[in-house]
Amino acid sequence: MTRTRKLENWILTGGSLLAAAIWTFPLYWAFITSIRTEDRVVSDGAGVVPDEFNLSSYVEALFNTKLLTWYWNSIATSVIITLVVLISGMMCAYAISQMRFPGRRLLYGIVLASFMVPSQALVVTQFILMNDMGLINTWAGIILPQLIVPVVIIVYKQFFDAVPKEMREAVVLDGGGDYTLLFKIYLPLNWGITTALAIITFIMSWNQFFWPFLVVTTENMMTIPVGITQVNDAFGVYYARLMSVALLGAMPVAIAYLIFQKKVTEAVMISSGVKG
Amino acid sequence: MITNRRRDVAVAMTLIAPFVLTFALVFLYPTLRMIALSFTDAPLIGEGEWVGLANFKRLLSDRLFFTSLKNNGYFVLLTVVPTTVLALAIALTINRLKGALQSLVLALFFLPYILPVSVVTEIWMWMLDFQFGILQPVFEFFFGKSIPVFKNPYWVMPTVAAVTIWWTNGFNVLLFIAGLRNIPTDFYEAAALDGATRWQMFRRVTWPLLWPVTALVLTLQLILQLKIFDQVYLMSSGGPFNSSYVLLLMVYREAFQLNHGGYASAIALILFVVIMVVSVLQFQLLRARGTK
Amino acid sequence: MAVQLRNVRKAFGTVQVIHDVSMDIASGEFAVFVGPSGCGKSTLLRMIAGLEDTSSGKVSIEDVDVTETEPAKRGVAMVFQSYALYPHLSVYENMAFSLRLRHAPKQEIEEKVREAAGILRLEEQLHKKPSQLSGGQRQRVAIGRAIVRQPKVFLFDEPLSNLDAELRVQMRLELARLHKQIGATMIYVTHDQVEAMTLADKIFVLKDGVVQQTGRPLDLYRNPDNRFVAGFIGSPAMNFLTATVTGREGDQLALRVGDTTFSAQTQEPIATGTIVTIGLRPEHLVISETGLPVKMEMAEELGGLAYLHTRRPEGEEIVVEWRGDEHAVMGETLKLTCPADKIMVFDSEGLRVR
Amino acid sequence: MAVQLRNVRKAFGTVQVIHDVSMDIASGEFAVFVGPSGCGKSTLLRMIAGLEDTSSGKVSIEDVDVTETEPAKRGVAMVFQSYALYPHLSVYENMAFSLRLRHAPKQEIEEKVREAAGILRLEEQLHKKPSQLSGGQRQRVAIGRAIVRQPKVFLFDEPLSNLDAELRVQMRLELARLHKQIGATMIYVTHDQVEAMTLADKIFVLKDGVVQQTGRPLDLYRNPDNRFVAGFIGSPAMNFLTATVTGREGDQLALRVGDTTFSAQTQEPIATGTIVTIGLRPEHLVISETGLPVKMEMAEELGGLAYLHTRRPEGEEIVVEWRGDEHAVMGETLKLTCPADKIMVFDSEGLRVR
Amino acid sequence: AQEVTWWDFLSGGDGVRMKALIERFNDEHPDITISGTTLEWGVPFYTKVRTSVAVGQGPDVMTYHLSRMPLGLEEEVLDTISEDDLAAAELSKEDFFPASIAAASDEKGALHAVPFDIHSIVLYVNKSYLEGSRFLDGDGNLTGIDNLEDFEEALALAKENGSSAPVSYATGDDGGTYRVFFTLLKQLGGELIVDGEVLPGDNMEKAAKAIEVMTRWHENGWQPEQAEYAASVALFTSGKSAFHMNGVWEVPTMVDMETKDTLGFDWGAVQIPNLMGTTATWADSHAFAIPAGTNMSPEKRKAVMTVIGWMEKNSLAWANAGHIPAYKPVANSDAFKEMEPNATYSSLAETAAYDPRSAIAGVASPVYDAAINIISPAMHGYMDPQQAAEQIKSELQSKLQ
Ligand SMILES: Nc1ncnc2c1ncn2[C@@H]1O[C@H](COP(=O)(O)OP(=O)(O)OP(=O)(O)O)[C@@H](O)[C@H]1O
Ligand SMILES: Nc1ncnc2c1ncn2[C@@H]1O[C@H](COP(=O)(O)OP(=O)(O)OP(=O)(O)O)[C@@H](O)[C@H]1O
Ligand SMILES: [Mg+2]
Ligand SMILES: [Mg+2]
């Protein structure tokens, strides 16, 4: 390698590290703010170098708000959404991909079209519907409208399509039916894509703001993203507390991401169809 | 295959039932109801009178509606192409890094994407706070004075756009990286043997081969950014003097603050149609360019 | 009869793929369907398995009409070209799969799998996943999966085509041994005539959904019924030249190709002046002082043996087998002759003139 | 010398992949690098192209040291195994690519592309996209892209390995013709020894990053320097047996394999009692009344020719070429002999004892 | 046991004290449990109330601003509170200041909320900037601010003494801007709405004048630019402001910091001085209300009223948060009269200026929207005061139809 190319590499590496550092600076700053006392936060000369390590605002956030309840709501609804979306999506995709029944093309057409339909535009009537069903302020109310994730069906279908026909025929020759095929063969064969879709669906529903914000009115039913905006339970100056609530809210998924980074990266790529 | 056709269809029905039923309940029915509601003067909850096209006529004279429509367009302009270009640039840089360093840099750029929107807005409102925001000295350096970005009609949309880009850009970076990884190194080696410069490699090899991914990113972004609500609601609530009002915010206000279910549905219907039309159009357009 | 087809036809939509095929495969026989790609071999096999409906005709297995029977109930087992191993299951579970579906007792499953593994020398691999196996081992697992079901008929659809050349030879050997060992009826599909020749008790040569000829391997090589079979069987393929009948002397038919005269041994009467096609196998061509002039183009070297690719001035390519030391180089002209009893004559329809 | 390597080495990290390779390739020569997968052929080729740095040593092209020269300035053109055709460009644009980069005048581009297309018979395809072409046509476009650049040296990295067998033979012919026609220096990488034998003026046999032997194709077949080359060149591969030297009589070395005695023609002195390996090519083995006893396992039928797969009771497999009519059937015992001048002897290091 | 669902919008010092009260109540009443939810103050709170009441998902009891009563009545989100209800809480209308009862009733005199407090804005002072000037008397109390000129002189002085924002209030916030504007308007003798007409007659000039004053403060660099609520407080507590105009509810913040010794300066809180000619200060009341359409059982309703009654009787603790209790027995008690700094500004009760009684006024109403959308931009220089006043008039007038 020539010297200029080496130098270039150094500049590139240094440059991208710097850019990444700048990119993540807001998170760093939020963290620094959160471990300061409120007075320190707004005093002159509170620079970017951490000079205090004070967890009082975290203690406040954890015990003076309903953060723990919101965690529970977020986890429960996200997990249920993920499970239901995956299972129903998988079943539907299997039928579209592997079976012949009247309306199959139409169904897939609808799935493809609903990919483009803005569900946010439906909030008003979805809200009315949830009210008619008495589901305001319930998990079911939070969950139901989030159950339509067409991309899950589209991706599953693509992957099921790619399973060799012989796999199916082998099972048929062995005397297995469609449920055997789906749950004993197609599903285990596509564990990778299932985890990928699960990760994406989970992140999506965990971060959902608009709908839970509408359908939940009581503090006890709020999810994390809604809870942290609805309640500024602090007085006077509350920046440190605000940042600690925000960081605590972001923590679970952020930690999960940092641990399963490769998997998440792959999941995004797969579910957007850029990589199969 | 020799099988029992009728039984097969029955099995298929049980398989599609969960999705189809949910779809009908929370998607199809609300859509139809939205259309029906848009011709009435119903409140959010309760019955209304049939008013024909009155809601739509009213829209035509509602200044806020046109402001919002314009702002939606402005926001799309501010986000879609910039985020695509930025993501591409970042992806190209990251793609040249190796091993652990690559994962690290990628992780840092992707991290904001997994944050809930409210966390993002809380952090940025603090970053940009007029009195204590860490970024105000930067504004002072460049513009000679601090700027209350959420209170200034010229700054508010670009700021919301910038925060949005910061938040969602990691996703696009990933797509571009996946796209770049799909380009065999052979192409670059062949081009190197042919004497291509860096720029020529990008212009003549990378860019055309990346076009499908670029089209995908543009389409996804367009659909996504037309649906802007969360960031605007949380950061500027549509102000100052409505200079960041957007359609979905208007839907929300009419339905949930002012109790105008019918009028809100009319606006939602317009938004619905706009997004469908724009995304289908763009899809066709981009595909056409791709195959050319 | 283990398998019997009677006037079987198959159409996909309006496209007739199998035309009125009847065949008999005896119990214990190793039957091979061979033919070019797309000729309908797989379709035929899949019809026997029940994976494809028959448009008309009758399929019987062990003298029971199974035309309308579900695949699982026909008592056939199939080994796919892609193996179709379940990648998420261990070798053991792959083999046990069909028994589990039938809720066979644990004891029985264990026994049968172990037995099959013994036959296929897979005892050591039972706990592994297919991805940890070599190509040949995977192939054996696929066969093992068939064996445990103790089917009346084994069906193979190009089971070796995914293997590399060396392994293919080895697996052929294994298949032949397996057939000897378990003595079951096997139907084997391939488009590789070497495989067919090597394995078959009986070959069915197919073309465009029609059986061209049936017989023992070397019979087909020596005594093909038509130009298609002659060209298909034998490697490298037979060279074909257009010739004019110039006369007959006893069983020696005189033929002219360009300016060169050949004589071929035939009994059937044929008029002087008829345009026929003659077939000359590369291994029967001799380079001599006189004969058909051709120009050397390239030698395909195998070491002790070379195939010389030559071309007539008229443009037809002729391949000549060469054994010996130095051969002609590119551009040189050679003269070719062939013994009369090795020349085959085909009429304008491609039918053999014997 | 068109291409000259002097003491070239290459390491990826700590792994030494190319060990001290020196080679000379004359102008206009068709040189082939052959060797098993992973032996470093591609790496060597890429070092000549400049796509890979050399860890040490010197690469010269037409007597100019290019070790530090950028790929584009070396005057070489490369045809990749994957073809690396730009899918978004038409055939014409693919071929014109390098000229456009150099901002060549339109006129010149047009001329050169048309000329190359003429040579490769691609005139009809110029407006098509690569995805609309057949495998062979794609291959030709890849070559066309090299031709328009009029390079000093053409580099090919397994250009035919993506094609099916039939097309491969045909494309080999085309390559040979092309080499004749444009007379340029070509370096060709393959792991297929038949391809190497067929195309090369000069073969370099590589193993683990070391050149094993260099020479004309048939020289390597007849006179391999070591066991590796002997086993690698020739198809089917040479049979190897362990033998004990039992004595010598003039240039006849007496050897014992099991209970059978062979005699081999060698000059070099070798002590009685030494354990050696002898190599017997399938085409040189003769079935006779006496000789090495082996059991018949399977015959690989080619029609006029069959390879008999046999096995010694000790377990070693021996392949015998058979030409003639009926051959032995499975299970029969055969006795094999071999003419003394065809037996090759290798010492314990695998080096040839001549 | 009855569970009473409780919503409030009380944050800051208010929130802490209310939580303490709720806890105390729960401790003292084994048969009733208050389960509280705190929602974001202002528009979000009232939006949620409106939506939840519409879908029958409202709380059993909630805090409500009396300024918003007409709007609340128009939205039909408030249940009436009968005499029987009051009796159940052991309260009667006579226990409250008549003005607040009037504010909590509809046109026909039916009660829709139980007043809890009166709160207004006050002027917080950082004395360190005024030391040695004529604005501090011998006891260190603020003095000598009798008109606008005096006040502006004090601001200039503070600026000179290094205060970066001599008078801080939430200039970028609807509430902060509105309260100061309304105070100034009232001090000018102006009215916002008279008989369904917005800024009639010379009220328009007065509004323009009020905005002009605020604009001048901005132009002279005396008030912070676009300060969010928290920032405006932080400016004062971190010692950057000499004066701070904010609600009494921030008193506990100062008290707490003073006790913890983190404030770093001497502070005081006084009634907003008479700057424009008339003594007047914006004021509002917190009250308890029961959402419409809850269909609660009599037992539940009794429990709810018990909660309200208890809260009233224990409102001395609430006064701790700086408010003046609306419940006379507490307001007139000695304990309250001695409470500091409340005593310093308790005189304002007489001069309190409530929002006009109109469906477009009150917290989270079009009037507040006008503050953030018109007044705040105007004082930051996006339009001139006259224009702004005109726009307020036209904007609000159209909402009234
Ligand atoms: N499901 C189908 N629908 C329509 N045509 C089909 C279908 N399956 C096969 N065919 C057609 O039937 C003909 C025979 O196909 P078949 O697969 O039996 O060929 P094959 O002899 O097995 O070829 P190969 O050697 O390539 O496997 C082909 O022309 C094929 O295109
Ligand atoms: N970029 C690289 N980094 C590390 N090792 C490499 C790299 N490229 C090649 N190698 C190693 O160098 C050795 C030679 O590789 P090379 O590609 O030259 O083999 P080859 O002879 O071309 O094999 P094949 O016939 O499979 O193409 C292999 O062991 C390979 O694993
Ligand atoms: Mg087939
Ligand atoms: Mg290679």
Side-chain angles (χ1 to χ4, degrees), chain B residues 33-280:
Chain B
R33 180 110 182 236
M34 169 179 73
I35 297 169
L37 219 54
S38 68
F39 298 103
T40 70
D41 64 356
L44 179 58
I45 301 297
E47 297 302 306
E49 299 270 304
W50 174 266
V51 294
L53 289 172
N55 285 327
F56 297 96
K57 277 193 199 120
R58 186 170 146 206
L59 267 181
L60 291 180
S61 60
D62 191 335
R63 275 232 316 279
L64 189 56
F65 172 73
F66 288 102
T67 310
S68 305
L69 197 63
K70 191 198 84 204
N71 284 338
N72 268 79
Y74 184 39
F75 186 73
V76 162
L77 219 67
L78 284 172
T79 48
V80 175
V81 173
T83 196
T84 307
V85 172
L86 185 65
L88 178 59
I90 292 173
L92 286 170
T93 322
I94 292 181
N95 200 43
R96 295 195 52 202
L97 300 176
K98 303 219 161 55
L101 192 67
Q102 190 185 48
S103 324
L104 174 73
V105 174
L106 179 58
L108 292 180
F109 276 108
F110 187 72
L111 194 55
Y113 178 72
I114 53 127
L115 303 178
V117 60
S118 39
V119 171
V120 171
T121 54
E122 297 275 15
I123 291 176
W124 277 97
M125 276 153 74
W126 169 228
M127 295 275 297
L128 290 165
D129 188 271
F130 185 59
Q131 274 74 28
F132 301 105
I134 183 84
L135 288 185
Q136 289 301 345
V138 179
F139 285 122
E140 269 167 46
F141 180 81
F142 284 109
F143 304 101
K145 58 182 173 43
S146 306
I147 296 168
V149 286
F150 298 117
K151 300 294 178 187
N152 182 311
Y154 306 105
W155 277 86
V156 64
M157 283 310 263
T159 306
V160 175
V163 172
T164 305
I165 290 175
W166 180 80
W167 178 37
T168 56
N169 198 51
F171 183 83
N172 304 326
V173 170
L174 266 193
L175 297 195
F176 275 122
I177 285 187
L180 285 171
R181 286 188 186 156
N182 283 346
I183 302 178
T185 46
D186 283 4
F187 287 152
Y188 295 105
E189 295 187 339
L193 279 169
D194 286 346
T197 60
R198 278 259 157 82
W199 169 247
Q200 284 174 321
M201 282 199 198
F202 174 76
R203 179 65 196 80
R204 291 174 177 271
V205 181
T206 311
W207 176 250
L209 291 176
L210 215 50
W211 177 247
V213 178
T214 313
L216 176 76
V217 169
L218 286 172
T219 310
L220 290 180
Q221 284 298 312
L222 183 69
I223 300 176
L224 182 75
Q225 307 303 4
L226 275 173
K227 297 190 280 201
I228 168 86
F229 170 84
D230 302 356
Q231 302 96 296
V232 167
Y233 173 78
L234 290 168
M235 293 198 288
S236 70
S237 312
F241 18 102
N242 301 335
S243 51
S244 61
Y245 234 93
V246 291
L247 286 178
L248 211 49
L249 197 59
M250 212 178 154
V251 172
Y252 168 73
R253 187 174 103 123
E254 291 295 340
F256 296 93
Q257 284 176 9
L258 303 176
N259 205 17
H260 299 148
Y263 191 46
S265 293
I267 303 169
L269 184 60
I270 301 278
L271 178 64
F272 191 94
V273 171
V274 166
I275 294 180
M276 292 281 272
V277 168
V278 169
S279 53
V280 168

Side-chain angles (χ1 to χ4, degrees), chain A residues 173-193:
Chain A
L173 274 170
D174 283 347
D178 284 295
Y179 277 94
T180 309
L181 267 160
L182 173 54
F183 289 106
K184 290 233 169 99
I185 306 294
Y186 280 71
L187 176 58
L189 269 185
N190 291 289
W191 265 132
I193 182 63

Side-chain angles (χ1 to χ4, degrees), chain C residues 169 172-173 194 197-198 221-222 234-235 283 297-304 309 321 323 325-326 330, chain D residues 169 172-173 180 194 197-198 218 221-222 234-235 283 297-304 309 321 323 326:
Chain C
V169 174
R172 276 206 304 252
L173 192 61
V194 176
M197 301 271 287
T198 308
Y221 171 77
R222 295 207 190 106
S235 157
E283 56 269 34
E297 283 202 326
M298 188 193 56
E300 198 176 335
E301 291 286 354
L302 299 177
H309 291 254
E321 186 182 304
R323 12 194 65 248
D325 284 353
E326 298 296 323
M330 196 164 165
Chain D
V169 174
R172 274 206 305 255
L173 193 61
K180 265 265 152 59
V194 176
M197 300 273 284
T198 308
L218 280 176
Y221 170 76
R222 295 205 190 109
S235 158
E283 56 269 34
E297 285 204 321
M298 188 194 57
E300 197 176 336
E301 292 286 354
L302 298 177
H309 292 255
E321 187 182 303
R323 16 193 63 249
E326 297 297 321

Side-chain angles (χ1 to χ4, degrees), chain A:
Chain A
M1 213 183 293
T2 57
R3 190 163 303 163
T4 52
R5 254 166 74 198
K6 256 192 191 129
L7 185 72
E8 218 180 272
N9 256 357
W10 267 106
I11 293 175
L12 180 87
T13 308
S16 37
L17 273 176
L18 184 72
I22 293 174
W23 197 258
T24 8
F25 177 77
L27 292 174
Y28 170 80
W29 182 238
F31 177 68
I32 294 302
T33 304
S34 72
I35 56 166
R36 284 184 165 141
T37 51
E38 299 290 4
D39 310 327
R40 178 70 190 148
V41 166
V42 295
S43 66
D44 288 326
V48 296
V49 186
D51 45 11
E52 259 187 308
F53 192 75
N54 185 310
L55 291 180
S56 60
S57 52
Y58 282 92
V59 175
E60 281 261 350
L62 274 175
F63 299 108
N64 274 356
T65 69
K66 302 221 164 142
L67 201 66
L68 296 174
T69 314
W70 306 333
Y71 271 142
W72 169 234
N73 289 330
S74 271
I75 289 171
T77 52
S78 304
V79 165
I80 296 173
I81 288 168
T82 307
L83 284 178
V84 176
V85 162
L86 285 194
I87 293 173
S88 68
M90 181 191 308
M91 284 164 53
C92 185
Y94 175 85
I96 293 176
S97 163
Q98 300 291 320
M99 303 187 71
R100 301 285 166 268
F101 56 90
R104 189 178 68 100
R105 271 161 193 282
L106 175 73
L107 180 57
Y108 192 55
I110 288 173
V111 170
L112 282 177
S114 60
F115 185 58
M116 295 204 176
V117 170
S119 63
Q120 279 88 339
L122 299 178
V123 288
V124 176
T125 37
Q126 280 176 339
F127 185 86
I128 296 172
L129 176 68
M130 291 306 131
N131 177 54
D132 291 347
M133 298 199 298
L135 296 178
I136 305 289
N137 278 327
T138 61
W139 280 356
I142 299 177
I143 291 167
L144 266 176
Q146 295 190 54
L147 292 182
I148 302 302
V149 187
V151 73
V152 167
I153 297 182
I154 296 170
V155 172
Y156 263 129
K157 179 188 174 289
Q158 276 165 8
F159 276 75
F160 289 169
D161 284 349
V163 174
K165 188 174 76 167
E166 286 83 12
M167 211 60 100
R168 178 182 175 77
E169 293 177 342
V171 175
V172 169
L173 274 170
D174 283 347
D178 284 295
Y179 277 94
T180 309
L181 267 160
L182 173 54
F183 289 106
K184 290 233 169 99
I185 306 294
Y186 280 71
L187 176 58
L189 269 185
N190 291 289
W191 265 132
I193 182 63
T194 301
T195 32
L197 290 172
I199 290 171
I200 291 299
T201 314
F202 187 86
I203 293 182
M204 253 165 40
S205 59
W206 178 278
N207 287 350
Q208 194 68 245
F209 172 80
F210 193 26
W211 176 250
F213 161 77
L214 290 178
V215 81
V216 169
T217 53
T218 72
E219 210 175 351
N220 286 330
M221 291 307 298
M222 283 178 187
T223 58
I224 287 273
V226 179
I228 60 182
T229 63
Q230 287 292 290
V231 182
N232 295 325
D233 187 57
F235 57 98
V237 188
Y238 48 69
Y239 298 115
R241 267 163 286 182
L242 216 54
M243 288 305 110
S244 28
V245 174
L247 290 183
L248 283 173
M251 204 83 81
V253 177
I255 289 175
Y257 167 65
L258 292 177
I259 295 174
F260 300 111
Q261 195 210 331
K262 278 238 163 64
K263 204 84 227 181
V264 176
T265 310
E266 223 181 83
V268 170
M269 292 177 179
I270 291 177
S271 56
S272 52
V274 180
K275 184 188 145 196

Side-chain angles (χ1 to χ4, degrees), chain D residues 12-13 15 17-18 35-44 46 52 81 157-158 189-191 206:
Chain D
F12 288 111
V15 187
V17 168
I18 300 292
S37 186
C39 69
K41 308 177 295 290
S42 297
T43 307
L44 212 50
R46 293 161 55 79
E52 213 73 75
Q81 175 176 352
D157 194 353
E158 310 206 14
V189 161
T190 178
H191 61 252
L206 282 153

Side-chain angles (χ1 to χ4, degrees), chain B residues 184-197 200-201 203-209 290-292, chain D residues 46 49 51 71-72 76-78 80 82-89 97-98 100-103 129 145 149:
Chain B
T185 46
D186 283 4
F187 287 152
Y188 295 105
E189 295 187 339
L193 279 169
D194 286 346
T197 60
Q200 284 174 321
M201 282 199 198
R203 179 65 196 80
R204 291 174 177 271
V205 181
T206 311
W207 176 250
L209 291 176
T291 52
K292 201 176 70 184
Chain D
R46 293 161 55 79
L51 295 172
V76 302
M78 186 150 168
F80 294 85
S82 61
Y83 315 151
L85 299 183
Y86 303 117
H88 57 289
L89 299 181
F97 191 79
S98 62
R100 291 222 192 282
L101 288 185
R102 269 190 252 146
H103 304 289
K129 288 274 169 71
R145 228 167 43 173
R149 293 187 45 210

